[in-house]
Amino acid sequence: MNIAIIGTGYVGSVTGACLAKIGHKVINLDIDQEKIDLYKSGQVPIYEPDLGKLILEEQKNKRLSFLTSYFDTIPKSEVIFIAVGTPSRKDGRADLTYVEAAAKEIAKNMNGYKVIVNKSTVPVGTAQKIEKIISKYYKGKFDVVSNPEFLREGSAVKDFLKPDRVVIGARSNKARDIMLRVYEKIDYPKVTTTVESSEMTKYASNAFLATKISFINEIANVCEKVGADVEDVARGMGMDKRIGMDFLKAGIGYGGSCFPKDVNALNQIAGTNGYDFKLIKSVIEVNNRQRTLIIDKLENLFENLKEKKVCILGLAFKKDTDDIRESAAVDIIKMLSDIGAKITTYDPEATANSKEALKDKNVEFCNDPYQATVKAEVLVVATDWTEFQKLDYQRIKKLMKKPNIIDGRNILDPEKMRKLGFKYSGVGRI
Ligand code: UGA
């Protein structure tokens, strides 16, 4: 099928490359010429395993191309995915400016029936808004479909090609059947439903996962008070298939471009529809507090953090990405810098992205994890990079001024660290 993807951000680039991989002819469109040139040359402006290779392969196979012109893209496309950004507005609502602009450009260039697919995460009712915009500029028949993405940064290509499910919300059987054809090579369960239910499924899924994280973080905080270990508790809980092991990792809270934004947006959607979603408010509050608990732990170690040298390992909001959006690590550095601590930091991928965000903070960015620990009085693990588990902590102990570790991701072995002579503290661990 001939497919267009509007937006070459994270979702758009992965969707385009993967749809090409399963045999479709895909045009990835972006109004940003620089980005398009980068993709054409096989470079990927984000760190995402397997993506660069796939984009190059599919361009060579002539199934994937990159354009900036709606005029050259829309008329030849049967299905058009909108995959542009929906950033958070100050009040927590999703900003639909880019989605609306894309809908208008699509409509102005339509030459017959098309299925316009919303892949961006949008509030319930957005499909209707898009329908209105398109009808204003195009008088023929079309369908707007909701098809949310459930990709995780760091494993997005795998998640797309082997998803747990594909959700399709359509108003007509014709549009639904076209969408089933788009995904026919992907042999996984497909949920077909109404547009509104599909839009809601995305928010409900992210909010539920965020709730799981805030729940286990609350359990971790109680574990610390009663002398229990949250890692064992999570294992004991997760083995119950109804609960499941995933997303029960306690730590400094969730971040990234999705959970904070979507959970806030769901709170807003409920509120504007006259419903007080109490649980989701607590999820947000617990997540915000989780970051400050690390500061409390540091303040328990030192009476005064002023001039204290703190090494923060990790800047990305999670491992295997260079993304620092809503990163707990970055928030913690800001708080520490504001109270006068001197910070050294290392991240395998996210340093370049962090320099701007932390430009007025007291931070030294290091190219090597060991260098970051030199003369530090405490080391804080803030991102769960596997590399941090494999460091030579014997060497690190010699490099540090004082052997204190606060493991904000519970990725180190407490017993091993204590044997090496560290004073170790995790989140909800004994
Ligand atoms: C999340 C969802 O997992 C995807 O299904 C969804 O498609 C995506 O948002 C989106 O809406 O686009 P992502 O933001 O890439 O994906 O990251 P996750 O792996 O879900 O992690 C989110 C945050 O939760 C990270 O900061 C991570 O460290 C934290 N987390 C995750 C925990 O603190 N504990 C856990 O047990 C799991």
Side-chain angles (χ1 to χ4, degrees), residues 36-87:
I36 289 293
D37 290 343
L38 211 63
Y39 279 114
K40 274 186 176 165
S41 70
Q43 293 174 68
V44 180
I46 47 173
Y47 173 82
E48 182 60 41
D50 306 329
L51 183 60
K53 200 171 133 244
L54 188 57
I55 286 178
L56 264 182
E57 261 170 35
E58 292 309 322
Q59 285 191 93
K60 264 192 213 131
N61 292 339
K62 304 251 177 287
R63 284 197 294 244
L64 179 64
S65 53
F66 290 91
L67 291 181
T68 51
S69 154
Y70 278 86
F71 179 77
D72 294 333
T73 303
I74 303 303
K76 55 175 94 137
S77 306
E78 191 180 346
V79 179
I80 301 148
F81 283 79
I82 300 179
V84 295
T86 51

Side-chain angles (χ1 to χ4, degrees), residues 10-11 121 149-154 159 165 202 206 209 213 216-217 246-259 262 317-319 384 409:
Y10 185 70
V11 176
T121 306
E149 58 85 16
F150 300 103
L151 313 173
R152 282 165 303 174
E153 291 192 21
D159 287 349
R165 79 309 204 180
K202 168 68 188 190
N206 273 3
L209 292 171
I213 298 169
I216 201 66
N217 282 335
D246 292 338
F247 284 72
L248 283 183
K249 188 81 186 164
I252 51 179
Y254 61 78
S257 66
C258 308
F259 284 178
D262 293 352
F317 81 96
K318 65 172 188 178
K319 68 176 174 181
D384 54 342
R409 295 291 182 179

Side-chain angles (χ1 to χ4, degrees), residues 60-356:
K60 264 192 213 131
N61 292 339
K62 304 251 177 287
R63 284 197 294 244
L64 179 64
S65 53
F66 290 91
L67 291 181
T68 51
S69 154
Y70 278 86
F71 179 77
D72 294 333
T73 303
I74 303 303
K76 55 175 94 137
S77 306
E78 191 180 346
V79 179
I80 301 148
F81 283 79
I82 300 179
V84 295
T86 51
S88 273
R89 294 212 287 222
K90 278 210 177 88
D91 62 2
R93 282 190 296 158
D95 180 348
L96 297 178
T97 314
Y98 301 120
V99 172
E100 289 167 1
K104 184 172 161 187
E105 287 310 312
I106 292 167
K108 283 171 61 191
N109 290 282
M110 273 166 65
N111 59 342
Y113 176 83
K114 316 260 175 215
V115 175
I116 296 103
V117 188
N118 219 332
K119 198 110 191 110
S120 303
T121 306
V122 290
V124 180
T126 302
Q128 224 175 357
K129 268 194 189 160
I130 295 177
E131 282 161 1
K132 267 197 193 144
I133 295 173
I134 296 181
S135 335
K136 203 166 146 193
Y137 298 93
Y138 177 71
K139 297 299 166 204
K141 286 210 164 81
F142 66 91
D143 265 298
V144 176
V145 162
S146 160
N147 170 221
E149 58 85 16
F150 300 103
L151 313 173
R152 282 165 303 174
E153 291 192 21
S155 58
V157 171
K158 206 175 104 231
D159 287 349
F160 191 99
L161 296 170
K162 289 182 189 295
D164 286 345
R165 79 309 204 180
V166 172
V167 177
I168 296 166
R171 295 205 204 288
S172 78
N173 290 346
K174 182 175 177 181
R176 183 202 59 204
D177 293 345
I178 290 176
M179 288 306 291
L180 289 173
R181 272 208 288 131
V182 169
Y183 289 108
E184 94 195 327
K185 294 261 171 63
I186 292 183
D187 185 20
Y188 283 86
K190 291 161 188 99
V191 178
T192 52
T193 179
T194 64
V195 169
E196 287 70 23
S197 305
S198 169
E199 287 175 340
M200 192 62 192
T201 306
K202 168 68 188 190
Y203 282 111
S205 302
N206 273 3
F208 186 77
L209 292 171
T211 304
K212 240 182 142 180
I213 298 169
S214 278
F215 182 86
I216 201 66
N217 282 335
E218 288 270 71
I219 294 288
N221 298 338
V222 180
C223 280
E224 282 193 10
K225 302 223 175 284
V226 300
D229 190 318
V230 72
E231 291 298 307
D232 291 345
V233 175
R235 249 200 323 277
M237 285 167 67
M239 280 176 191
D240 183 330
K241 286 196 188 69
R242 294 168 302 174
I243 297 173
M245 286 290 191
D246 292 338
F247 284 72
L248 283 183
K249 188 81 186 164
I252 51 179
Y254 61 78
S257 66
C258 308
F259 284 178
K261 170 171 78 77
D262 293 352
V263 171
N264 276 327
L266 182 57
N267 186 30
Q268 280 293 328
I269 293 167
T272 49
N273 285 283
Y275 186 76
D276 182 15
F277 200 151
K278 290 198 167 66
L279 182 57
I280 215 71
K281 288 196 175 99
S282 302
V283 168
I284 297 167
E285 196 187 320
V286 169
N287 196 55
N288 292 337
R289 194 185 54 195
Q290 216 53 27
R291 286 150 161 75
T292 61
L293 289 182
I294 294 297
I295 310 291
D296 294 349
K297 278 182 192 279
L298 286 166
E299 282 172 342
N300 283 341
L301 273 181
F302 312 104
E303 250 170 48
N304 190 350
L305 278 164
K306 215 168 166 46
E307 299 296 313
K308 285 278 173 304
K309 197 168 173 196
V310 181
C311 164
I312 306 277
L313 286 185
L315 291 159
F317 81 96
K318 65 172 188 178
K319 68 176 174 181
D320 297 333
T321 178
D322 62 354
D323 197 339
I324 57 149
R325 284 176 287 178
E326 304 285 334
S327 161
V330 170
D331 283 352
I332 288 168
I333 291 179
K334 284 182 183 165
M335 287 188 264
L336 284 173
S337 170
D338 290 347
I339 49 181
K342 283 175 157 174
I343 297 119
T344 50
T345 183
Y346 164 80
D347 187 288
E349 295 294 336
T351 303
N353 284 346
S354 307
K355 284 190 172 160
E356 177 60 25

